[in-house]
Amino acid sequence: MIESLLTYSSVIFPKEGEENSEIVLLLFTIFPIIVILAPIIGYLLTRKWFVIPLLIFVVFTILTFTIFNESFFIWTVLYTILSLIISLIMKFLKK
């Protein structure tokens, strides 16, 4: 599983007959769960709504250029927006 994640072109352009289920699992289950839980926990610890979305943007941008390819940046933006929405919801719920 890790070997397929570390190849540059395996994210968007899988080889003939190669399963891409690990990437789909990451994109649609593991990363969103992390992005939903991190702002909740982060807001409860720091009481600042912008810290975790900024951290998520930085971490996923680093992942974009180190592990995945440039087309993963769209996911970085989407995960950051999701994190920002969750953080703002937490801010208004905890007032």
Side-chain angles (χ1 to χ4, degrees), residues 24-79:
V24 172
L25 178 71
L26 280 173
L27 289 177
F28 295 114
T29 57
I30 296 172
F31 287 160
I33 289 171
I34 292 170
V35 167
I36 289 170
L37 291 178
I40 294 171
I41 295 168
Y43 183 80
L44 293 174
L45 293 175
T46 65
R47 298 287 182 200
K48 303 219 183 299
W49 64 271
F50 58 87
V51 173
I52 300 301
L54 183 64
L55 182 66
I56 285 176
F57 180 75
V58 168
V59 167
F60 277 105
T61 301
I62 291 170
L63 287 176
T64 297
F65 295 110
T66 57
I67 294 179
F68 302 110
N69 58 21
E70 290 83 16
S71 61
F72 185 77
F73 192 70
I74 268 192
W75 290 102
T76 300
V77 172
L78 289 174
Y79 293 145

Side-chain angles (χ1 to χ4, degrees), residues 43-44 47 49 87-95:
Y43 183 80
L44 293 174
R47 298 287 182 200
W49 64 271
S87 290
L88 290 173
I89 289 172
M90 286 297 295
K91 176 183 176 186
F92 291 116
L93 285 179
K94 289 296 180 176
K95 274 191 171 185

